[in-house]
Amino acid sequence: MFFDSIYLVDSFRNEPLSNGFVKFSIQQKKDNPLETRIENKASIYFDKNEPVVTNTVFHTIGEEFIEIKLISSTFNTQFNVKSIKVFPNPFREKTQIILDSDELENPSLMLINMQGQIVKVISSINKNTFNIEREDLSNGMYLFKIMEGDKEVGNGKIIVQ
C-alpha cells in the first residue's frame, strides 16, 4: 500500500506530530490450528531514503478471544428437546439456532433485548432451525425464546459483536 502526500512533520522539529498510525485487518486462512502464530511487520519509506522497518507484532490463534458455545438454555420436556445449538455465538453478521427435538408444527423465535423488549420474531426455516441476521441489532447480549403457539419450547442467550 502506498500513502502519498501525508507530509508528517520532521521528528527533529516536533516528535509527537511526526508519528503516524495505520490500522488494518486481514482474514486468516481457514482451519488454522490452535497455537498458529501469525506475524506481521511493515517497511516505511520516507522520500527516497532506505526503509524504516517496524517491530514485528504477532497473534497466536487461540489467544485473546472469548469462546462461548452456548451460554445457557432451558428446555420444555413436552417437546422432547435434547439440545439447542447456537453457532456461531458470539456472532457478527448471522447465526443459526438448531433445536434438537421432535419436529414442531409452526415454531417461532422471539429475540429479546436486555430491557425485556421483543426486537425480532423469526419464523423457522425448516421447523427446528432459525437463522438470525444481524441487520439493525446493536452489539450486546440478547435472550431468545423458541415458541410453539403460546408454549415455550426452549430459551437461551446469544451475543452480537
Side-chain angles (χ1 to χ4, degrees):
M1 247 186 251
F2 292 91
F3 300 97
D4 294 324
S5 306
I6 292 179
Y7 304 116
L8 291 174
V9 175
D10 184 311
S11 62
F12 293 114
R13 281 190 246 161
N14 188 330
E15 202 282 327
L17 291 178
S18 71
N19 291 282
F21 178 79
V22 175
K23 180 179 179 179
F24 66 95
S25 63
I26 60 169
Q27 185 69 34
Q28 64 175 305
K29 291 180 183 177
K30 195 173 187 175
D31 299 325
N32 270 334
L34 286 176
E35 305 303 320
T36 298
R37 183 176 165 130
I38 300 173
E39 296 183 348
N40 193 21
K41 63 183 174 183
S43 296
I44 305 168
Y45 294 81
F46 294 101
D47 303 319
K48 298 195 186 292
N49 297 318
E50 291 295 311
V52 175
V53 181
T54 65
N55 296 332
T56 300
V57 296
F58 68 91
H59 176 76
T60 303
I61 302 301
E63 292 183 358
E64 297 180 21
F65 68 92
I66 301 170
E67 181 178 350
I68 303 173
K69 293 191 177 12
L70 181 63
I71 297 172
S72 68
S73 58
T74 59
F75 314 120
N76 182 331
T77 55
Q78 172 187 352
F79 297 99
N80 194 26
V81 177
K82 296 173 190 72
S83 68
I84 299 175
K85 296 177 183 154
V86 182
F87 56 91
N89 189 17
F91 75 98
R92 293 185 193 281
E93 298 302 321
K94 60 184 173 180
T95 190
Q96 190 170 68
I97 297 176
I98 299 176
L99 183 66
D100 182 6
S101 74
D102 294 340
E103 188 170 301
L104 302 174
E105 292 297 316
N106 190 24
S108 61
L109 182 139
M110 292 189 308
L111 195 59
I112 304 160
N113 66 21
M114 296 312 288
Q115 289 75 42
Q117 302 162 318
I118 297 171
V119 294
K120 286 187 182 203
V121 176
I122 301 166
S123 298
S124 67
I125 59 172
N126 71 358
K127 304 294 185 192
N128 286 27
T129 303
F130 301 87
N131 288 335
I132 300 176
E133 303 283 335
R134 177 182 189 129
E135 295 169 334
D136 57 348
L137 294 175
S138 301
N139 289 352
M141 186 179 300
Y142 292 83
L143 307 174
F144 66 84
K145 287 185 182 182
I146 299 172
M147 304 294 292
E148 178 68 64
D150 62 348
K151 295 184 180 172
E152 186 176 319
V153 177
N155 64 58
K157 300 175 188 175
I158 59 173
I159 296 176
V160 179
Q161 290 184 324

